[in-house]
Amino acid sequence: IVTEDCAYILKDTELEARDRATRKKLWTVPCSCPYALILVGDTLLAGGDNEVTAFATDTGKRVASMPASGRAYGLAVASGRLSVSTDTGAIHCFE
């Protein structure tokens, strides 16, 4: 995900943020959710095996985790709700 100031890079085992102007790494955190990534305000949401994890954009700190049955490949946010679709066909909605 790329914003005006920052690039967020999701890898198999970590999530990192880089300053776009200097390309300097701002932070790197362990992340076991390699399937999907979206940005909602100042929060990154990453989809993984049986979970979706939320990270703060400024520090990379894990701020929440939500259960999902299967691999969370589809993430969407609308009207204050997070919709998650998985490879099992399950669709979860979180408020």
Side-chain angles (χ1 to χ4, degrees):
I1 294 178
V2 178
T3 67
E4 185 176 334
D5 300 319
C6 196
Y8 302 100
I9 304 156
L10 181 62
K11 301 178 182 180
D12 287 340
T13 60
E14 64 186 19
L15 176 62
E16 76 176 40
R18 289 189 174 263
D19 182 285
R20 287 194 59 217
T22 64
R23 297 187 180 169
K24 178 183 173 187
K25 189 182 298 185
L26 301 173
W27 50 258
T28 301
V29 294
C31 179
S32 60
C33 296
Y35 303 125
L37 184 68
I38 63 171
L39 175 64
V40 181
D42 59 357
T43 304
L44 292 161
L45 298 168
D49 285 318
N50 301 306
E51 72 175 326
V52 175
T53 302
F55 298 89
T57 56
D58 58 346
T59 62
K61 181 180 177 184
R62 183 178 174 162
V63 294
S65 182
M66 294 139 292
S69 56
R71 292 180 177 163
Y73 285 119
L75 304 175
V77 173
S79 300
R81 294 179 177 93
L82 168 64
S83 296
V84 179
S85 62
T86 71
D87 64 342
T88 67
I91 298 175
H92 303 275
C93 183
F94 301 96
E95 289 190 79

